[in-house]
Amino acid sequence: EVQLVESGGGLVQPGGSLRLSCAASGFPFSTYAMSWFRQAPGKEREWVASIYPGDRRFDADSVKGRFSISRDNAKNTVYLHMNSLKPEDTAMYYCATRCQSVDTATCNNWGQGTQVTVSS
């Protein structure tokens, strides 16, 4: 059974940093692309970043230069490093895998999410 468990969210001041983690199990992690999405209240879920086997990485324009995605295949974990956080980054953050389309957030497997709140 595929399991994705996010952690690391919390309350942070504008300009601060957080590192989210997503621990994966139940599938050959190193051979799968992993992605982060977020969903703010009243908004659609949006793609944030993806990392592929071989470490090819892509991220959304809204987080470019501030967020970065990485993976540790030995730990079956994917990370989202978030810097220079803004109030508009406030959302529930989800990791996902086996995605048919990141544009439409169509993925087979999702974690339960971790809340990030950016506020002074």
Side-chain angles (χ1 to χ4, degrees), residues 6 20 37-38 48 67 80 82 89 91-94 113-114 116:
E6 301 97 333
L20 306 184
F37 294 81
R38 66 185 181 185
V48 175
F67 292 10
L80 185 67
M82 305 187 295
D89 295 318
M92 185 72 79
Y93 283 72
Y94 299 90
T114 186
V116 172

Side-chain angles (χ1 to χ4, degrees), residues 19-21 36 68-70 72 75 77-81:
R19 187 185 76 166
L20 306 184
S21 301
W36 285 96
S68 65
I69 189 171
S70 67
D72 185 336
K75 295 182 178 179
T77 300
V78 61
Y79 303 98
L80 185 67
H81 309 266

Side-chain angles (χ1 to χ4, degrees), residues 9-10 12-18 20 37-41 43 46-48 60-67 80-94 114-119:
V12 63
Q13 292 187 342
S17 299
L18 280 176
L20 306 184
F37 294 81
R38 66 185 181 185
Q39 188 166 20
K43 294 189 176 181
E46 66 170 350
W47 171 72
V48 175
D61 288 344
S62 59
V63 304
K64 200 171 294 291
R66 300 188 299 120
F67 292 10
L80 185 67
H81 309 266
M82 305 187 295
N83 299 310
S84 302
L85 282 160
K86 305 175 181 180
E88 51 263 43
D89 295 318
T90 295
M92 185 72 79
Y93 283 72
Y94 299 90
T114 186
Q115 177 68 38
V116 172
T117 302
V118 185
S119 175

